[in-house]
Amino acid sequence: EFRQKSLYEFRDPTQEDPRDVAAAEYGLNYIGLDGNIGCLVNGAGLAMATMDIVQLHGGSPANFLDVGGGANEKAVTEAFKILTSDSKVKAIMVNIFGGIMKCDTIANGIVGAFKQVNLQVPLVVRLEGTNVELGKKILETSGMPIQTASDLDEAAKKAVASLS
């Protein structure tokens, strides 16, 4: 965009997927796919690995949604709004490695988003990294029906199993 400003003047967001437009407004990277398990991750490599492991266990990813390393609670809530706007999404899997991103920030965002969007599909969350114990405690004491997983394989299995 910064190199080709004259080309971007022709951009018409009304011709784009509204989920792509919403994601861009909050600094999220979103690509819709044909599956039924919504994937919320941080980092493109982790997103690819998450989609692969979901597929390996018999599931089908509904999207590529990368919240990046600097997401805040508001961005997480917006990510959940994008995921739940897709009628094909029948479960959501969150896979976060908290390096720059702190797991407690993501956990607070998940709990807030769960309440705000009135989540009606199963939610599986795998957190690892900075403040992981605090993040897990936030999820466990939230009173929400959030399934947690200790690793990516377990999370994918739980997400796929939640569909049946």
Side-chain angles (χ1 to χ4, degrees), residues 25 37 70 87 93 114 121-122 138 141-142:
E25 286 178 29
I37 297 177
S87 62
M93 180 177 152
F114 197 107
V121 298
I138 290 166
T141 60
S142 70

Side-chain angles (χ1 to χ4, degrees), residues 82-148:
I82 292 166
L83 291 174
T84 57
S85 71
D86 183 347
S87 62
K88 294 180 298 202
V89 170
K90 304 300 180 200
I92 296 174
M93 180 177 152
V94 177
N95 186 22
I96 298 294
F97 179 78
I100 298 169
M101 172 59 58
K102 295 180 180 171
C103 292
D104 57 318
T105 300
I106 288 289
N108 282 321
I110 290 169
V111 171
F114 197 107
K115 294 174 184 174
Q116 192 171 2
V117 302
N118 190 24
L119 193 62
Q120 299 295 310
V121 298
L123 174 61
V124 179
V125 179
R126 182 262 183 163
L127 300 175
E128 191 56 63
T130 306
N131 294 349
V132 67
E133 293 306 322
L134 180 56
K136 288 179 178 179
K137 184 175 182 174
I138 290 166
L139 296 177
E140 290 166 4
T141 60
S142 70
M144 309 284 170
I146 300 170
Q147 297 181 58
T148 58

Side-chain angles (χ1 to χ4, degrees), residues 11-51:
R11 180 175 178 233
D12 182 359
T14 66
Q15 299 299 309
E16 298 176 36
D17 184 324
R19 297 170 298 180
D20 294 342
V21 175
E25 286 178 29
Y26 293 96
L28 308 172
N29 296 304
Y30 177 87
I31 298 171
L33 302 171
D34 293 330
N36 56 4
I37 297 177
C39 301
L40 188 155
V41 302
N42 66 324
L46 192 58
M48 298 302 288
T50 300
M51 293 187 303

